[in-house]
Amino acid sequence: MPTYRVTVVNRTFTACNDHELPSVDEARRQGISAALAIGAHEVSCGQPYFGAEVRIQDGDDTLCRFVVSVR
């Protein structure tokens, strides 16, 4: 079952969360949406920039990686 992981590292916190979904497409969509939602919140709270890595995995295999940024 595909998993998406959103990893965020900034001045105030480091966070990494994994979520399992039934398909790679759904994992990609949910992962990018989650990172954008976190980024929108961070920027609206005064952060000048937000960046996160979204990694889609199936077991130990990395299927794809994305960098999401909000400014």
Side-chain angles (χ1 to χ4, degrees), residues 2 13-14 31-32 36 48 57 60:
F13 69 92
T14 299
I32 291 171
L36 286 171
Q57 294 180 258
D60 291 334

Side-chain angles (χ1 to χ4, degrees), residues 6-17 31-54 66-71:
V6 177
T7 304
V8 177
V9 178
N10 67 25
R11 286 186 273 169
T12 57
F13 69 92
T14 299
C16 183
N17 292 315
I32 291 171
S33 293
L36 286 171
I38 296 166
H41 179 277
E42 287 293 300
V43 170
S44 72
C45 289
Q47 293 290 336
Y49 172 82
F50 169 85
E53 177 190 45
V54 177
F66 302 92
V67 174
V68 174
S69 63
V70 179
R71 223 177 111 176

